[in-house]
Amino acid sequence: MIIDLERFTATEKPFWDELERLLKRVENDPACRLGVEGAARFHYLYQRASAGLARLDGLAAPLEFRRYLESLVARAYGEIHSTRDNAHRLVPRTWLLESFPQTFRRHIRQFQLAVLITIVGAIFGAAILMVAPEEKGMLLPFDHLHGSPTERVAKEEQEAGKRLAGHKATFSSSLMTHNTQVSIACMATGMTWGVGTIILLFYNGVILGAVVLDYLAAGQGIFLAGWLLPHGVIEIPAILIAGQAGLVLATTLIGKGSGLTLVARMRKVWADLTTLIGGVGLMLVWAGIVEAFFSQYHEPVLPYSVKIAFGVVELCLLVLFLGRSGRGGKVAKRG
């Protein structure tokens, strides 16, 4: 038991300060190497700080003093047991079937929040269009959505998919590029403590809600489902996962109650962020192919029932993949 807290602090503080300096050096420089002697010294300082923390039990030490020492020990423990220096060969199959869905589930709360924000935006967009239909041009950024849904459906069915003849590959690549830019922006704006991510998710929801209401009100629900489902059941979740990554980034920047430095927090989620946005990229590639080569064909060329069934199957497979894939494998480690 510690009899004299001041004497104990005076004796141990130099060792804690040395450990603090080593931690800052390692945390601020991912390429830092301590060497054999440095690692041994680091481990000794960690053990000494841990022993000091244990000696505080049963003593009425100031709360801030105890929290400081707990944080110091936790940070040192994290560095000692970190696997960041281990070289791991990327196995695409393992990354896709295990790491990506595991990472998605690990941050499921952020995904649920992204879904909620989008739903609120959709309700808002539908309400605005219902109250002020003359504002459709402002709500919907694409020219082909500004006119009457009934007229568009008639035109699309008459063209029978000929509009994109010879240009499907170009159209597909432009879709992939645009949606990838939106997704990266959705994640990157997490740097604004999540404000930018929330705005983008909300705005996407506004567009979606306005489009859905516009076509349903015109009695074109079947066309809408046949048009959106084949690619939308992949594209929309991809944008949501990008929003999930942005919210993970925001949570990391805020770092409430973590006791870690910003650099240490970022290092812990960096692998998760790259995994999520990498998965989003693959999803958008598939969605772009489907939208250009499948979604643009309507009746009488392609029955709406076939397109809707295709979209439903895709959605079920995606839910199974994100919810179940990788459960039996090794849990992906954070960076």
Side-chain angles (χ1 to χ4, degrees), residues 86-324:
N86 294 339
H88 295 286
R89 182 171 61 90
L90 177 64
V91 181
R93 183 178 181 276
T94 301
W95 175 85
L96 177 62
L97 299 181
E98 295 184 12
S99 298
F100 176 42
Q102 287 170 356
T103 303
F104 168 81
R105 293 193 294 269
R106 184 157 56 244
H107 301 288
I108 192 64
R109 289 186 178 180
Q110 284 86 349
F111 178 77
Q112 292 168 342
L113 180 56
V115 172
L116 179 61
I117 294 168
T118 304
I119 290 175
V120 172
I123 294 172
F124 180 80
I128 291 295
L129 189 62
M130 186 180 299
V131 173
E134 68 277 4
E135 300 297 337
K136 184 198 291 191
M138 181 191 70
L139 288 175
L140 305 180
F142 307 109
D143 292 340
H144 64 275
L145 297 175
H146 292 172
S148 166
T150 303
E151 292 178 0
R152 186 202 170 196
V153 171
K155 182 179 178 182
E156 292 281 352
E157 292 179 346
Q158 184 178 3
E159 289 180 347
K162 297 177 182 178
R163 177 171 54 90
L164 294 176
H167 304 286
K168 293 185 179 65
T170 303
F171 181 58
S172 178
S173 64
S174 67
L175 290 170
M176 296 175 196
T177 301
H178 173 265
N179 290 329
T180 300
Q181 290 173 342
V182 171
S183 298
I184 292 176
C186 210
M187 181 187 76
T189 49
M191 292 293 292
T192 60
W193 292 277
V195 175
T197 298
I198 292 172
I199 292 174
L200 286 175
L201 288 171
F202 183 84
Y203 179 61
N204 280 325
V206 169
I207 297 173
L208 183 61
V211 169
V212 170
L213 178 67
D214 194 30
Y215 277 76
L216 290 180
Q220 300 297 335
I222 298 298
F223 172 87
L224 179 69
W227 167 45
L228 286 184
L229 283 179
H231 64 276
V233 296
I234 303 297
E235 180 183 304
I236 295 172
I239 300 298
L240 291 173
I241 293 174
Q244 174 189 29
L247 294 173
V248 169
L249 177 57
T251 303
T252 303
L253 289 174
I254 295 170
K256 185 177 181 180
S258 67
L260 300 175
T261 64
L262 175 59
V263 172
R265 297 197 305 270
M266 286 297 298
R267 193 167 58 215
K268 283 183 177 295
V269 300
W270 180 250
D272 285 2
L273 294 177
T274 55
T275 295
L276 288 174
I277 203 65
V280 167
L282 290 179
M283 293 171 68
L284 291 177
V285 167
W286 173 253
I289 293 172
V290 171
E291 184 170 1
F293 291 90
F294 188 78
S295 295
Q296 301 303 318
Y297 288 97
H298 311 292
E299 289 185 349
V301 177
L302 198 58
Y304 292 131
S305 58
V306 173
K307 298 177 68 178
I308 293 172
F310 180 81
V312 170
V313 170
E314 279 186 302
L315 180 59
C316 291
L317 291 176
L318 179 64
V319 171
L320 285 174
F321 169 69
L322 293 175
R324 304 298 304 174

Side-chain angles (χ1 to χ4, degrees), residues 16-133:
W16 299 341
D17 290 341
E18 183 181 356
L19 179 59
E20 179 79 37
R21 288 193 297 273
L22 282 175
L23 278 171
K24 287 183 178 179
R25 177 183 165 191
V26 172
E27 290 172 349
N28 293 327
D29 182 9
C32 176
R33 299 293 185 273
L34 294 177
V36 177
E37 293 184 2
R41 180 63 177 176
F42 184 90
H43 191 263
Y44 166 75
L45 294 171
Y46 160 70
Q47 288 183 318
R48 186 162 186 139
S50 299
L53 180 62
R55 293 173 66 189
L56 286 180
D57 289 342
L59 188 71
L63 183 59
E64 292 184 2
F65 178 82
R66 187 184 297 272
R67 284 180 174 173
Y68 162 75
L69 196 53
E70 286 175 347
S71 174
L72 190 66
V73 170
R75 289 164 59 196
Y77 177 89
E79 290 299 332
I80 289 173
H81 295 277
S82 171
T83 58
R84 66 190 174 98
D85 294 328
N86 294 339
H88 295 286
R89 182 171 61 90
L90 177 64
V91 181
R93 183 178 181 276
T94 301
W95 175 85
L96 177 62
L97 299 181
E98 295 184 12
S99 298
F100 176 42
Q102 287 170 356
T103 303
F104 168 81
R105 293 193 294 269
R106 184 157 56 244
H107 301 288
I108 192 64
R109 289 186 178 180
Q110 284 86 349
F111 178 77
Q112 292 168 342
L113 180 56
V115 172
L116 179 61
I117 294 168
T118 304
I119 290 175
V120 172
I123 294 172
F124 180 80
I128 291 295
L129 189 62
M130 186 180 299
V131 173

